[in-house]
Amino acid sequence: MTEKDTALVLKGSVEGIVYRNEENDYTVLEIITEQGELHTAVGMIAAVAEGEDVILYGNWVKHAEYGLQFSFDAYELALPDNSKAILRYLSSGVIKSVGPVTAARIVTRYGEDTFEVIEKHPEWLAQISGITLKKAAKIHDSFAEQSELRSLMLLCRSFLSTSIIGKIYRKWGSDAVDILKENPYIVCQEIGGVSFASVDSLAFALAFQKDAPERLESGLCHLLSYNAQANGHTALPFSKLKEAAVDYLEVSAEKVEEAIKSALRKGMLVAWHDEKQMLSLASYASAEKFIKEKLERLDKACALYSDSEISLFIRHIEEETGLTYAHGQRLAIRAALQNGVMLLTGGPGTGKTTVIRALLHIFSFAGFSVQLVAPTGRAANRMSEATSCEAKTVHRALEMEKSDEKEPIFRRNATNPLDAGVIIVDEMSMMDSLLMSALLSAVKQGSRLILIGDADQLPSVGAGNVLHDLLDSQKFFTVHLNEIFRQSEESLIVVNAHRINRGELPILNRTDKDFFYLPTREDQVPRVIADLIHHRLPKAYGEEIREQIQIITPSRKGIAGTEQLNRFLQQAQNPPSKRKKEIKHHGIVLREGDRVMQVRNNYELEWQKNGKEGSGVFNGETGRLVEVSPESASVVFADKEAVYTKEYMEDLEHAYAITIHKSQGSEYPVVIMPLCFCPPLLANRHLLYTAVTRARDMVIFVGNKEIVARMVENNRDILRYTALSFLLGKGEKGANT
């Protein structure tokens, strides 16, 4: 059953266009029915003009300010067929070189035959006063453009969204229909946000066969892209890709092998020959090859300091600050000044931030400009607070621009590099391959690069395993900080994090510290968590603690998965109210006051903050819904406010409870983690360690402590196939403290 089968229908002609967003085609229309009733309709619609007949499929909604409106998700268009409507259509300005006066003259002469004359006999228009042959040709061309867009809509409307069709037309213009008929799968490669399944349906409607070469090549790219997004692989073994393609595309292994060879010849895929043949999408292959080459160039090109100069720097800072740096910290400072590229790793409480502060003092003293960056807004804010220096997200530092392209466009790049002579990157475990490549492209030759992260954290949400690949290669000087400093030893959060990392059970029987365990039956875990949030913690620490709590859990499924916990906690923390507006979208009720999370990188979404404007909201950012209407939702994040139209609302999920993966790079005052059964793949040491290290002031485990034992015991690394690990090979630089 399609959307049209279950939707209400509104038929009429376009009386007026109240509002139109040219970037996403969101439009507010006035529709007049055959019965003479005037209605307001809102939705995504491309190239509509006054006088056109429309059939809209949707539902009636009540807007708090504008009253009853028809909200549509699908539509059909038809050119007007009577003289009055034709005149209104031409007078609207939709056809270039035709205004109200010219429109009236054309319709007076040709009446209901107007469109046929414009399309097939444009030279006849020159018989009308004020229209030359040149102007007649312009009118014909403009009408043809509108016809092409109309043809594109007719071709694609059952398979692709209006916003995607708009992107297609903006990219290929009047050639779009011919291009799609020749190879609809090109949309998957060239346009962002398009699903292979949608294009596949369009292709089948155009009589493409399952074994069509275009389908198989695009299907291979889709499988690699899906594995990059869902599993973090930037490459896949030949055998695994072939097996997946045979199953997904429902063709023979021979056909898949032929398609792989063809895609390699065309440069769509790149092969790597290690122990087994690996295949990458061209974009990831190019990114990881560039990462390897640029890091090697930076490591060799930087001006280095002598031992005596470094000793002088350290002595000067120690005198100025009153600090005495530990052996490992001294080694890290020395390594940062004697290498073009340096990696610094260590768990919580081992002094990484102290090293950053020391380096900021030294580089300032030496006259170098320093750029601090981190992959996420929360991580950048933490870096700023810890160092008292401005830190930016990588996207902001690179001055990302809004674009229709599949990948973001950065103003800072190889031709317009960052000004800083020293780049310090924190939370490197979260840096994926594409973002790392973009950052390195903007680092000018001769600059110094210091990469800081916790090697035991989960890998990045995006594809790649950059930090781990760099560490494993031993190609760049690395300092591992292992000593926990005295002030950090007082925190059971820090102590337990290191115990977990060493494969030891955390201490769960202390009640005088910052780490607590509440034994609870599995079926009672949600209720106990809600009670902690609403009663027990506010009673002990004050009402303000409620906003400081984050529930993080390994899984999406199960009684303690995010899906069930979010439904339960929304009802407990933000129940329905006459004072709060809400909207149901894709099975989720979004209600004013809800805590929500962005679940994919959206480079187009615009935001504002303190008079500043920008675009881009990224996977894992959390915020609060402050305003909801039938057509939009406003979300306030830590560093911006964004308005989501209907097409972007599917990017939002509730964030009362989030997965451990999504918590990466964030720090919360209080973390509550349910301990319930979850798949063995998710019950591992890395996830438990990451969960614990997200907390600043307090950790509370709720459930069965046997789950903790299973997670600590399971030290299986998360497998990620990358080309970078193969490209880097093995070096011999490194240090341990």
Side-chain angles (χ1 to χ4, degrees), residues 59 100 147 278 286 297 299 409 418 485 590:
N59 289 283
S147 297
M278 305 283 286
S286 175
R297 291 200 300 272
D299 199 34
I409 292 176
L418 295 166
F485 289 93
L590 296 174

Side-chain angles (χ1 to χ4, degrees), residues 564-609:
Q564 289 200 41
L565 275 177
N566 274 318
R567 284 194 290 270
F568 183 87
L569 293 171
Q570 183 195 33
Q571 184 64 29
Q573 294 182 244
N574 191 32
S577 167
K578 291 182 179 179
R579 299 190 304 273
K580 295 178 180 178
K581 303 184 187 74
E582 62 183 48
I583 182 174
K584 189 171 183 178
H585 193 72
H586 288 275
I588 296 177
V589 175
L590 296 174
R591 182 177 299 133
E592 289 177 347
D594 275 343
R595 183 182 287 186
V596 292
M597 171 177 279
Q598 175 78 13
V599 295
R600 74 176 181 91
N601 287 341
N602 186 327
Y603 302 109
E604 299 178 354
L605 190 58
E606 297 177 343
W607 54 262
Q608 294 183 341
K609 182 68 174 181

Side-chain angles (χ1 to χ4, degrees), residues 96-393:
K96 295 173 185 175
S97 300
V98 177
V101 174
T102 302
R105 290 173 179 169
I106 294 172
V107 176
T108 299
R109 171 68 71 94
Y110 297 112
E112 294 179 0
D113 296 327
T114 292
F115 292 142
E116 184 175 0
V117 170
I118 292 174
E119 182 180 11
K120 298 179 180 178
H121 307 287
E123 69 278 4
W124 293 2
L125 297 176
Q127 299 172 14
I128 298 172
S129 174
I131 300 180
T132 63
L133 283 172
K134 186 176 180 180
K135 185 174 181 178
K138 287 183 178 180
I139 294 170
H140 166 78
D141 291 344
S142 180
F143 184 78
E145 280 184 21
Q146 294 300 314
S147 297
E148 289 292 345
L149 180 53
R150 191 180 305 275
S151 298
L152 181 64
M153 292 299 304
L154 288 171
L155 179 68
C156 299
R157 69 186 180 199
S158 297
F159 311 101
L160 305 175
S161 69
T162 300
S163 62
I164 294 299
I165 295 170
K167 289 181 180 180
I168 291 170
Y169 190 77
R170 286 193 289 274
K171 186 168 187 68
W172 291 304
S174 59
D175 295 327
V177 171
D178 290 337
I179 288 172
L180 263 60
K181 286 182 177 178
E182 183 178 343
N183 178 14
Y185 295 100
I186 195 173
V187 175
C188 296
Q189 274 72 58
E190 300 288 339
I191 304 292
V194 186
S195 75
F196 178 82
S198 298
V199 175
D200 215 22
S201 298
L202 171 60
F204 288 147
L206 293 171
F208 277 74
Q209 300 300 308
K210 279 189 176 181
D211 62 354
E214 299 90 345
R215 177 176 186 264
L216 300 187
E217 292 165 6
S218 182
L220 290 167
C221 292
H222 163 70
L223 288 170
L224 285 167
S225 178
Y226 171 81
N227 270 279
Q229 295 170 24
N231 302 315
H233 304 307
T234 62
L236 282 180
F238 179 94
S239 58
K240 287 187 176 293
L241 179 60
K242 183 175 76 170
E243 181 182 350
V246 168
D247 181 58
Y248 182 76
L249 299 172
E250 299 178 337
V251 294
S252 68
E254 291 75 20
K255 289 287 185 181
V256 169
E257 289 181 8
E258 290 175 12
I260 290 174
K261 291 176 183 177
S262 177
L264 287 168
R265 286 195 301 271
K266 294 178 180 178
M268 300 168 72
L269 306 183
V270 175
W272 313 98
H273 297 276
D274 198 0
E275 300 152 8
K276 50 196 164 190
Q277 186 180 23
M278 305 283 286
L279 296 168
S280 298
L281 285 171
S283 57
Y284 285 107
S286 175
E288 296 196 306
K289 186 170 183 287
F290 178 74
I291 290 170
K292 180 253 186 189
E293 294 173 348
K294 183 62 178 281
L295 286 174
E296 288 178 344
R297 291 200 300 272
L298 288 172
D299 199 34
K300 296 173 182 175
C302 189
L304 307 180
Y305 290 91
S306 67
D307 286 339
S308 59
E309 288 174 312
I310 296 170
S311 296
L312 182 64
F313 282 141
I314 293 175
R315 188 164 59 251
H316 170 75
I317 293 172
E318 287 183 332
E319 290 173 356
E320 188 175 289
T321 62
L323 295 174
T324 300
Y325 296 111
H327 170 71
Q329 293 172 325
R330 285 173 171 268
L331 181 60
I333 295 168
R334 198 170 289 278
L337 295 168
Q338 290 184 327
N339 294 274
V341 176
M342 191 272 280
L343 280 73
L344 175 64
T345 74
T350 56
K352 297 191 299 295
T353 301
T354 301
V355 172
I356 296 175
R357 292 195 196 106
L359 291 173
L360 287 171
H361 275 286
I362 290 173
F363 290 127
S364 174
F365 181 73
F368 283 95
S369 59
V370 181
Q371 176 75 71
L372 301 179
V373 298
T376 68
R378 283 184 179 271
N381 290 339
R382 286 170 55 200
M383 197 179 189
S384 296
E385 292 167 4
T387 62
S388 299
C389 293
E390 183 187 19
K392 297 180 179 180
T393 64

Side-chain angles (χ1 to χ4, degrees), residues 476-540:
F476 307 99
F477 200 97
T478 302
V479 177
H480 301 275
L481 298 179
N482 297 317
E483 180 185 353
I484 304 175
F485 289 93
R486 187 174 303 149
Q487 63 270 28
S488 295
E489 287 180 337
E490 298 175 4
S491 167
L492 205 53
I493 295 174
V494 173
V495 170
N496 278 341
H498 286 272
R499 288 177 67 91
I500 290 166
N501 207 24
R502 293 193 299 267
E504 301 170 10
L505 290 175
I507 299 167
L508 299 178
N509 58 359
R510 296 281 296 274
T511 58
D512 61 335
K513 290 286 186 177
D514 51 10
F515 204 111
F516 305 96
Y517 166 60
L518 299 180
T520 308
R521 276 195 357 236
E522 186 165 308
D523 62 338
Q524 292 297 306
V525 165
R527 184 192 63 77
V528 171
I529 289 175
D531 186 52
L532 281 167
I533 295 169
H534 277 277
H535 303 294
R536 296 173 65 173
L537 290 175
K539 184 178 179 180

